[in-house]
Amino acid sequence: MLFLVGALLVFGVVLGTVAHVPVPVSVVAGLAIALWLAVFLARERFSHRRLPGRPHTGRGGRR
C-alpha cells in the first residue's frame, strides 16, 4: 500500500501536477494519504469481527 502511495507521488511529479509545489509539501501530502489509507485499513479489518456466540449472517441478510 505504501508502495502505491509512493508510485502515485512519483507519477504526479512526472506529470507535473505535484511539480508546482515544493517537495516537502508533496512528501507531507503523500504521508497524509498513507496515514489515511492505514486508518481505513485498520477500520475495515477490525469492524468485521464476529462477536463470540453469534453466528455470522453475512452482508446479504436472511436468505
Side-chain angles (χ1 to χ4, degrees):
M1 184 169 38
L2 292 176
F3 175 76
L4 178 63
V5 172
L8 288 174
L9 182 63
V10 170
F11 186 68
V13 170
V14 170
L15 288 179
T17 57
V18 182
H20 298 287
V21 295
V23 173
V25 175
S26 300
V27 170
V28 168
L31 290 174
I33 292 170
L35 178 65
W36 175 58
L37 289 173
V39 168
F40 178 75
L41 173 74
R43 288 184 67 198
E44 284 294 312
R45 180 164 295 195
F46 295 123
S47 68
H48 298 298
R49 287 189 173 176
R50 287 185 268 161
L51 296 175
R54 297 187 65 190
H56 180 62
T57 58
R59 292 181 173 229
R62 294 185 181 201
R63 292 182 187 222

